[in-house]
Amino acid sequence: MNCYAVFGNPIAHSISPRLHNLAICGLGLDDFYGRVCLQDSSQLTNVFNKLSLKGANITIPFKEVAFAKCDELDQNAKKIGSVNTIVKKENKLYGFNTDAPGFMMAISDFGKVQNALVIGAGGTSKAISYILQSNGIDVDVVNRSQNRADEFKDYNFFSFDEYEPKSYDLVVNTTPAGLVNNELPMQETTLNSVFSNSKFAFDVIYGRQTPFLNLAKQKNLQVKDGADMLLFQAVLAFNLFYDNSFDLDVIKGYMKEAFTL
Ligand code: NDP
């Protein structure tokens, strides 16, 4: 029996155990996926080894720590600087970032995207900006502060003060604005101008109609929340745990049930 877990703090709210255990049950595997509320980031690999885990998912605030602790990294993780999936093989820890390809799979319902505005400059923005750009999409990144400008040297980076609205195929909110309040991620007038000339809006927040998505809908954009991104990063992570031996659609079919329970 192989054991897996998601590490984070807080972690009680995570639906990863439900997603992964539904796929484990559906595929008739004799394995189990749990959750670990890690208090001390320096203990990540100790706890992983103590629990004899075969693999893990890593969420806020440990993705950068996981990146530093892995022996080998995939291309996405290397470029983004964070790891959300760890697989142990022959005593080595392999680190992957499935948030980025999970996001690309989630926006595949939208039509052709040639340029995008990414709002926010945190870890999720880094993953999304990187994967958009590496798929040939022009990316502008806008953030409320200049704090993280250095980490976005490879992109057109603007603080709110510098930013002039443009038209985009895709506008993505990667900030937590609207998660537990009614805030928009940037000034309403600026967002209104952007939405007036854009096609698709994506919010990484899921399970909630955020003010960002509501405003986009009013402006007749096609909208999507972050549920599919969460689902697809889990589908990809699950298959990495099992050496890519399953069909992604089959895993997805089992995991999708987690959103209807
Ligand atoms: P970070 O803390 O790394 O970054 C947050 C960014 O948002 C920063 O640039 C920050 O600006 C900006 N920000 C924070 N609050 C506000 C606000 N009220 N208005 C405008 N800008 C704001 O967070 P993460 O990137 O790790 O996570 C962001 C969100 O993504 C979370 O809500 C998380 O739940 C969600 N998420 C969803 C996933 C999914 O699968 N759907 C996967 C991963 C994350 P500054 O630099 O000035 O501080």
Side-chain angles (χ1 to χ4, degrees):
M1 176 178 172
N2 290 318
C3 290
Y4 306 89
V6 57
F7 286 71
N9 190 348
I11 200 62
H13 66 285
S14 172
I15 72 160
S16 289
R18 210 192 295 165
L19 289 166
H20 285 267
N21 286 319
L22 279 167
I24 286 170
C25 286
L27 290 161
L29 302 165
D30 184 24
D31 295 336
F32 187 72
Y33 188 111
R35 68 178 94 220
V36 176
C37 186
L38 194 68
Q39 302 301 330
D40 175 358
S41 63
S42 70
Q43 294 304 306
L44 179 70
T45 41
N46 286 348
V47 175
F48 183 101
N49 289 326
K50 224 187 247 180
L51 296 174
S52 300
L53 298 178
K54 166 101 192 312
N57 289 118
I58 312 296
T59 188
I60 296 169
F62 302 121
K63 291 184 188 180
E64 279 85 10
V65 174
F67 170 83
K69 299 256 183 190
C70 286
D71 303 302
E72 305 285 343
L73 296 163
D74 83 333
Q75 181 72 359
N76 288 336
K78 264 188 213 160
K79 292 283 184 184
I80 297 160
S82 77
V83 158
N84 78 324
T85 304
I86 297 178
V87 183
K88 190 172 184 179
K89 271 188 225 163
E90 287 147 15
N91 246 11
K92 267 187 167 184
L93 294 183
Y94 290 79
F96 304 85
N97 187 304
T98 67
D99 287 329
F103 170 78
M104 284 313 285
M105 289 164 80
I107 61 161
S108 64
D109 300 344
F110 291 151
K112 192 167 171 58
V113 174
Q114 286 178 306
N115 67 351
L117 176 67
V118 178
I119 308 169
T124 311
S125 170
K126 254 190 236 167
I128 288 175
S129 303
Y130 160 72
I131 202 73
L132 286 169
Q133 189 159 283
S134 61
N135 277 275
I137 296 164
D138 284 338
V139 181
D140 286 351
V141 178
V142 63
N143 195 42
R144 63 181 177 183
S145 69
Q146 278 284 0
N147 293 349
R148 310 183 196 222
D150 280 357
E151 297 164 48
F152 283 82
K153 283 198 195 99
D154 296 339
Y155 303 89
N156 304 317
F157 180 92
F158 309 91
S159 64
F160 284 179
D161 294 343
E162 303 160 330
Y163 179 73
E164 295 286 337
K166 284 200 266 168
S167 66
Y168 299 92
D169 293 329
L170 173 66
V171 184
V172 187
N173 174 37
T174 72
T175 81
L179 180 64
V180 290
N181 52 37
N182 284 322
E183 276 180 40
L184 285 165
M186 66 194 296
Q187 304 95 320
E188 187 164 355
T189 43
T190 316
L191 209 46
N192 259 320
S193 307
V194 170
F195 282 158
S196 297
N197 295 296
S198 299
K199 293 182 196 161
F200 314 118
F202 187 98
D203 199 328
V204 296
I205 294 168
Y206 65 92
R208 182 157 205 255
Q209 274 304 314
T210 57
F212 171 82
L213 289 187
N214 284 334
L215 189 64
K217 262 201 248 170
Q218 280 169 30
K219 293 280 180 184
N220 296 317
L221 275 76
Q222 193 179 326
V223 303
K224 226 178 155 180
D225 77 1
D228 272 357
M229 178 178 170
L230 182 75
L231 173 66
F232 287 124
Q233 66 74 28
V235 169
L236 294 169
F238 185 91
N239 225 12
L240 288 167
F241 294 154
Y242 293 94
D243 278 326
N244 290 314
S245 49
F246 298 111
D247 185 275
L248 294 181
D249 279 337
V250 172
I251 303 169
K252 182 180 140 197
Y254 292 122
M255 286 191 171
K256 256 188 108 107
E257 236 187 280
F259 294 93
T260 56
L261 292 176

